[in-house]
């Protein structure tokens, strides 16, 4: 949902102002400052001084591009980690921007899947996105040996003039490890400094790498003076195409590779070799547009105070762990955007009309029809909220799908992270988990996983971050996100506070095979649910041990004390003696945990907060004639925990319960419209007092 106010934006702006003040005191007295010495000529070759510098002096300020001019930005992005980096980069760009933007993203399949969902759900006004397939471009660079940690993807910027639309004349090219500290329109304005012959804008490399002699036998690629860094590039695509860029760089690379074994700095080596041969192609840019934080950086010569900084470039494999005199300031600037609430960037560009993101107009009309005096306004508003979704937040490498495989599907928030390690020990199979987090909490979650030997070892667990917005917990939307990302034929629809039997994963796969289930047979396998009120207890390894704990009072059937009819149809008395699966009938308020085909009906997202969210899903399964089969050796156990905010509100607020009843009434009306007379049997159930989940 588009935010209605911006009080939190003021807080972030104040934080950035504080960083600038810190920078003033940090840089004020102890910095050896060397200002650039002379502007590079706008035509002809850029001069190199006796110290080997390509001079990129501050040139007279040119006016910014028109406010509504569309600026184009190209980024190469591959994999899960790079997608997270791109998210932070984009937030820093959006924070300062005043112009419409179009991002041209050259991605692999993983990054495209992630970023399409992220931008689609972000719904930022005046931002367009186009995707280009890395696989189609790989053959153009795969012949080049490259020792850089970026691998083949680090060479992709070479092919952008041919890959981007032929009518696109100018583009800013960025690495994913840069952070903006200024309006990107100021960088775009530097195109005005290009002479008629210049086609590439670059900042000088801020290390001695290309001067050679860093160590014995160090032999870099040829470069003009110190060379140039390609983390930030201005490309005149039209002129590059006219100059035969594709042939130019390939000839240069082929020649140099006759005497050099490989590139060390990926595309940067080849760009520099071309510029060495054709120095008139380059327009040196002011160094503040690419302040490079490599291990041996000379970036301190570039700035004297924080306000000088325009773009920070973490161009060391160590990234934030790099050693640098002012790294704490730079790190804090980066962390500001890393944890910044991206929802606040959904702001309109004033006096700059642009087509709204898809779905925005319909959403705004629905929001306008809400009555803020309605006692259930909070529920209605939460239902219309479009949450940003970052699927596959961490690296995820699923095993090849197997015919009867099952993915555990669940959702959680920050206060349930402690359940993850135990769940991983109990369920060795694939999982798809949706996490409801703020931007800052997402980073805490990342550190939590990295610090856990159990969690970091699992590559078959997919974590999908749904960014928090609104007062109520969107439980069914979270379930739908996790369900949509499951890759196996079957899913076990569970909750995060349940631990399945250690053998359940293997047992479910064997049961699906033995029952000869397939996509044409609508069956929901019921996994009986139990609970313990003890924070410490010995988890049963078999059904016999579970029954002993049940008889001793250490375990109970789930919600036996609070809501017995939620699981009574499972027929626990019959389950005690059962040796084969048995069929049960749907009954009012039944909410078992089930295993179903991946293409099962989705959860109804109108149910937010606490109450009736699972019940409504089981009603939908029954309406679609799913057969309910209870598995005789399956079980899952609920562990005790502090009540959530939503369940506390449900228990204490009659108005909350009244709103839940209103949602149930609307749900039945929709059932009647969809299923006709077949939905009448649910009317009695829906007239019951609102129950739990």
């Amino acid at each position: 949902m588009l935010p209605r106010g911006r009080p939190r934006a003021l807080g972030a702006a104040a934080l950035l102002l504080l960083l600038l003040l810190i920078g003033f005191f940090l840089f004020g007295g102890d910095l050896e400052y060397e200002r650039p010495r002379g502007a590079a000529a706008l035509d002809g070759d850029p001069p190199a001084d006796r110290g080997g510098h390509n001079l990129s002096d501050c040139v007279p300020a040119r006016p910014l591009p028109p406010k509504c001019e569309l600026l184009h930005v190209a980024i190469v992005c591959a994999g899960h980690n790079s997608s997270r980096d791109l998210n932070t980069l984009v937030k820093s760009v959006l924070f300062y921007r005043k112009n419409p933007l179009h991002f041209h993203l050259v991605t692999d399949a993983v990054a495209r899947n992630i970023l399409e969902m992220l931008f689609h759900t972000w719904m930022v006004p005046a931002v367009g996105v186009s995707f280009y397939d890395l696989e189609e471009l790989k053959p153009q660079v795969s012949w080049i040996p490259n020792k850089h940690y970026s691998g083949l993807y680090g060479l992709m910027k070479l092919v952008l003039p041919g890959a981007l639309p032929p009518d696109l004349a100018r583009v800013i090219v960025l690495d994913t490890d840069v952070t903006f500290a200024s309006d990107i329109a100021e960088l775009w304005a530097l195109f005005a400094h290009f002479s008629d012959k210049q086609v590439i804008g670059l900042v000088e490399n801020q290390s001695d790498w290309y001067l050679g002699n860093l160590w014995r036998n160090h032999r870099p690629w040829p470069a003009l003076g110190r060379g140039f860094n390609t983390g930030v590039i201005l490309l005149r695509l039209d002129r590059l195409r006219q100059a035969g860029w594709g042939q130019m760089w390939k000839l240069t690379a082929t020649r140099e590779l006759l005497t050099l074994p490989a590139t060390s700095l990926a595309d940067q080596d080849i760009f520099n070799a071309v510029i060495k041969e054709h120095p008139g192609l380059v327009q040196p840019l002011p160094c503040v547009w690419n302040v490079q934080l490599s291990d041996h950086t000379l970036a301190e010569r570039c700035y004297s105070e924080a306000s000088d900084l325009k773009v920070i470039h973490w161009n060391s494999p160590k990234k934030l762990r790099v050693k640098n005199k002012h790294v704490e300031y730079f790190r804090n600037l980066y962390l500001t955007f890393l944890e910044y609430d991206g929802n606040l960037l959904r702001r309109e560009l004033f006096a700059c009309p642009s087509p709204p993101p898809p779905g925005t107009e319909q959403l705004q009309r629905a929001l306008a029809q809400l009555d803020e005096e309605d006692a259930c306004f909070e529920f209605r508003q939460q239902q219309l909220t479009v949450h940003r979704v970052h699927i596959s937040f961490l690296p995820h490498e699923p095993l090849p799908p197997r015919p009867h495989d099952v993915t555990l599907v669940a959702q959680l928030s920050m206060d349930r992270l402690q359940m993850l390690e135990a769940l991983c020990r109990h369920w060795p199979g694939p999982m798809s988990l949706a996490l409801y987090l703020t931007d800052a909490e997402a980073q805490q979650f990342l550190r939590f996983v990295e610090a856990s030997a159990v969690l970091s070892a699992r590559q078959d667990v997919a974590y999908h971050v749904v960014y928090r917005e609104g007062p109520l917990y969107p439980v069914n939307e979270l379930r739908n996100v996790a369900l949509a990302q499951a890759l196996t034929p079957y899913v076990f629809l569970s909750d995060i506070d349940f631990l399945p039997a250690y053998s359940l994963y293997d047992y479910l796969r064997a049961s699906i095979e033995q029952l000869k289930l397939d996509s044409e047979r609508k069956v929901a396998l019921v996994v009986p649910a139990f609970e313990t009120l003890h924070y410490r207890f010995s988890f049963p390894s078999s059904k016999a041990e579970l029954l002993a704990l049940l008889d001793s009072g250490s375990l109970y059937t789930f919600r036996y004390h609070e809501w017995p009819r939620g699981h009574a149809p499972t027929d626990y008395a019959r389950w005690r003696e059962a040796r084969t699966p048995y069929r049960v009938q749907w009954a009012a308020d039944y909410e078992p945990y089930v295993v179903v085909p991946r293409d099962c009906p989705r959860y109804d997202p109108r149910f937010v907060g606490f109450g009736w969210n699972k019940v409504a899903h089981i009603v939908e399964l029954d309406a679609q004639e799913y057969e309910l089969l209870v598995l005789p050796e399956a079980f899952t156990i609920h562990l005790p925990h502090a009540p959530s905010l939503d369940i506390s509100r449900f228990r204490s607020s009659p108005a909350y319960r009244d709103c839940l009843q209103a949602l149930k009434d609307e749900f039945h009306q929709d059932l009647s419209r969809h299923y006709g007379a077949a939905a009448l049997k649910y009317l009695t159930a829906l007239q019951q007092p609102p129950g739990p989940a």
Side-chain angles (χ1 to χ4, degrees):
M1 189 179 74
L2 300 180
R4 297 191 172 191
R6 294 183 54 201
R8 292 153 72 192
L10 292 176
L15 178 55
L16 287 172
L17 178 59
L18 177 61
L19 285 172
L20 291 176
L21 291 173
I22 293 171
F24 174 79
F25 291 107
L26 181 63
F27 300 148
D30 64 346
L31 185 68
E32 295 179 5
Y33 173 59
E34 177 183 301
R35 288 197 177 276
R37 297 158 293 198
L42 292 182
D43 53 355
D45 298 349
D49 74 358
R50 286 175 292 180
H53 295 275
N54 299 308
L55 298 180
S56 51
D57 200 358
C58 298
V59 292
R62 298 290 181 94
L64 293 178
K67 185 173 183 179
C68 294
E69 180 179 351
L70 180 62
L71 313 185
H72 292 269
V73 181
I75 306 171
V76 178
C77 181
H80 303 84
N81 296 336
S82 185
S83 299
R84 289 202 312 274
D85 292 339
L86 185 139
N87 182 33
T88 305
L89 162 59
V90 169
K91 285 197 285 186
S92 73
V93 171
L94 294 178
F95 183 87
Y96 295 104
R97 67 102 180 217
K98 299 180 180 65
N99 285 69
L101 298 172
H102 193 101
F103 291 99
H104 300 266
L105 304 181
V106 182
T107 64
D108 64 356
V110 169
R112 177 164 186 165
N113 191 37
I114 295 169
L115 296 173
E116 277 189 329
M117 176 69 77
L118 179 63
F119 279 98
H120 174 72
T121 55
W122 204 341
M123 300 180 74
V124 182
V127 170
V129 184
S130 298
F131 290 90
Y132 307 84
D133 189 356
L134 267 174
E135 292 300 320
E136 294 181 1
L137 302 174
K138 274 184 179 181
Q140 298 184 48
V141 296
S142 59
W143 56 276
I144 303 172
N146 178 29
K147 295 189 293 185
H148 192 257
Y149 62 86
S150 60
L152 190 64
Y153 306 121
L155 297 163
M156 286 296 170
K157 285 179 284 186
L158 293 165
V159 305
L160 287 178
L164 298 179
D167 59 345
L168 185 60
R170 293 178 292 174
V171 70
I172 296 172
V173 184
L174 302 173
D175 282 354
T176 57
D177 57 357
V178 304
T179 305
F180 270 72
S182 186
D183 186 355
I184 195 171
E186 298 177 37
L187 178 59
W188 185 268
L190 297 180
F191 275 117
H193 302 316
F194 281 44
S195 72
D196 292 341
K197 302 298 184 182
Q198 292 170 332
V199 297
I200 304 173
L202 293 165
V203 170
E204 182 185 59
N205 197 48
Q206 293 164 2
S207 78
D208 290 337
W209 175 270
Y210 286 109
L211 299 182
N213 302 318
L214 288 184
W215 58 80
R216 188 175 181 181
N217 297 325
H218 173 222
R219 189 184 169 202
W221 277 56
L224 191 68
R226 292 188 183 278
F228 294 90
N229 183 278
T230 56
V232 176
I233 315 176
L234 301 186
L235 290 183
R236 283 298 305 257
L237 297 171
D238 49 353
R239 296 177 184 174
L240 284 165
R241 297 182 188 113
Q242 292 170 6
W245 169 254
Q247 187 72 7
M248 185 186 301
W249 74 258
K250 288 175 184 175
L251 287 173
T252 300
T254 301
R255 184 183 65 247
E256 296 302 329
L257 286 170
L258 294 175
T259 56
L260 291 164
T263 59
S264 296
L265 300 181
D267 66 82
Q268 183 169 301
D269 284 340
I270 298 175
F271 271 106
N272 274 291
V274 172
I275 291 169
K276 175 74 171 179
E277 189 174 356
H278 306 282
L281 297 178
V282 68
Q283 164 61 40
L285 303 179
C287 59
V288 291
W289 285 105
N290 187 351
V291 177
Q292 301 149 39
L293 301 181
S294 58
D295 288 319
H296 305 289
T297 184
L298 303 173
E300 291 176 17
R301 300 176 178 180
C302 180
Y303 53 83
S304 61
E305 54 188 63
S307 60
D308 289 341
L309 303 172
K310 301 293 186 182
V311 175
I312 311 302
H313 185 190
W314 302 91
N315 64 319
S316 166
K318 299 177 183 177
K319 301 304 178 188
L320 297 187
R321 297 187 301 274
V322 69
K323 301 297 182 182
N324 180 275
K325 186 176 182 180
H326 303 118
V327 71
E328 283 302 317
Y329 172 79
F330 297 129
R331 187 181 293 122
N332 287 336
L333 179 65
Y334 172 81
L335 293 176
T336 297
F337 291 112
L338 183 72
E339 301 185 355
Y340 186 79
D341 184 353
N343 299 324
L344 300 176
L345 298 168
R346 289 167 160 169
R347 53 180 179 252
E348 298 282 350
L349 294 181
F350 293 110
C352 191
S354 60
T360 301
E361 292 180 325
Q362 181 182 359
L363 175 63
Q364 294 289 23
R365 285 195 297 269
L367 286 169
Q369 293 173 2
L370 297 182
D371 179 6
E372 294 193 23
E373 301 302 319
D374 181 359
C376 300
F377 172 77
E378 201 174 60
F379 284 81
R380 313 283 185 202
Q381 187 183 46
Q382 189 72 58
Q383 293 166 26
L384 294 173
T385 299
V386 177
H387 294 90
R388 282 181 299 136
V389 179
H390 190 141
I391 60 174
S392 300
F393 189 74
L394 296 179
H396 173 229
E397 297 178 8
L399 296 173
R402 292 178 286 185
H404 311 296
D405 210 356
V406 184
T407 295
L408 186 148
V409 171
Q411 43 71 38
L412 67 151
S413 53
M414 197 69 181
D415 59 346
R416 298 288 187 265
L417 285 188
Q418 74 278 4
M419 296 295 302
L420 290 177
E421 286 192 350
L423 182 58
C424 282
R425 293 188 179 100
H426 278 251
W427 182 269
M431 288 189 271
S432 181
L433 306 176
L435 298 95
Y436 194 50
L437 306 172
T438 66
D439 291 71
E441 287 173 342
Q443 300 310 311
Q444 296 176 39
F445 162 69
L446 175 61
R447 294 190 291 271
F448 179 83
V449 173
E450 290 174 342
S452 167
V454 174
L455 300 181
S456 59
R458 292 290 296 270
Q459 295 297 305
D460 57 351
V461 179
Y463 300 101
H464 317 292
V465 173
V466 178
Y467 288 104
R468 197 167 76 193
E469 185 175 10
L472 295 169
Y473 189 75
V475 55
N476 277 358
E477 181 183 351
L478 295 170
R479 287 177 171 139
N480 286 339
V481 168
L483 179 55
Q485 298 306 316
L487 302 177
T488 56
Y490 295 89
V491 289
F492 173 32
L493 305 178
S494 185
D495 275 335
I496 198 65
D497 44 9
F498 278 82
L499 290 182
Y502 285 108
S503 60
L504 185 61
Y505 173 61
D506 291 333
Y507 175 62
L508 290 178
R509 290 187 295 131
S511 297
I512 292 168
E513 184 175 10
Q514 291 168 6
L515 292 168
K516 296 181 171 57
L517 301 185
D518 55 42
S519 58
E520 296 181 3
R521 184 181 176 187
K522 293 183 176 181
V523 174
L525 303 177
V526 175
V527 177
F530 300 84
E531 69 177 336
T532 178
L533 304 181
H534 303 289
Y535 283 89
R536 293 184 179 181
F537 86 111
S538 178
F539 198 93
S541 61
S542 65
K543 179 178 179 177
E545 288 187 15
L546 181 139
L547 292 175
L549 292 171
L550 195 65
D551 292 339
S552 68
S554 297
L555 282 181
Y556 303 91
T557 57
F558 185 53
R559 292 276 172 84
Y560 171 78
H561 300 88
E562 298 175 346
W563 192 250
R565 65 175 179 258
H567 290 264
T570 298
D571 194 351
Y572 288 95
R574 183 177 179 182
W575 183 81
R576 293 180 68 105
E577 308 299 330
R579 294 293 180 268
T580 59
Y582 59 91
R583 185 172 182 176
V584 295
Q585 299 298 319
W586 174 88
D589 295 312
Y590 193 28
E591 52 174 0
Y593 292 95
V594 295
V595 177
V596 288
R598 181 180 59 189
D599 62 355
C600 69
R602 287 338 189 215
Y603 288 86
D604 193 316
R606 86 184 77 204
F607 292 101
V608 296
F610 180 81
W612 237 70
N613 43 74
K614 289 197 305 293
V615 174
H617 189 243
I618 298 301
V619 168
E620 186 71 36
L621 291 179
D622 186 69
Q624 294 195 21
E625 300 181 339
Y626 273 73
E627 181 183 358
L628 295 170
L629 286 180
V630 180
L631 295 176
E633 299 296 325
F635 61 87
T636 186
I637 300 177
H638 179 266
L639 300 184
H641 55 76
S644 66
L645 175 62
D646 283 302
I647 194 172
S648 299
R649 294 180 65 186
F650 170 84
R651 291 169 175 170
S652 63
S653 171
Y656 191 106
R657 295 192 293 273
D658 289 344
C659 289
L660 180 57
Q661 183 61 50
L663 296 181
K664 291 172 62 177
D665 294 341
E666 294 169 9
F667 175 71
H668 183 261
Q669 292 170 11
D670 289 343
L671 278 178
S672 299
R673 281 191 289 268
H674 193 71
Y675 298 107
L680 290 176
K681 77 173 188 176
Y682 306 115
L683 181 59
T684 302
L686 288 161
Q687 291 174 340
Q688 298 283 345

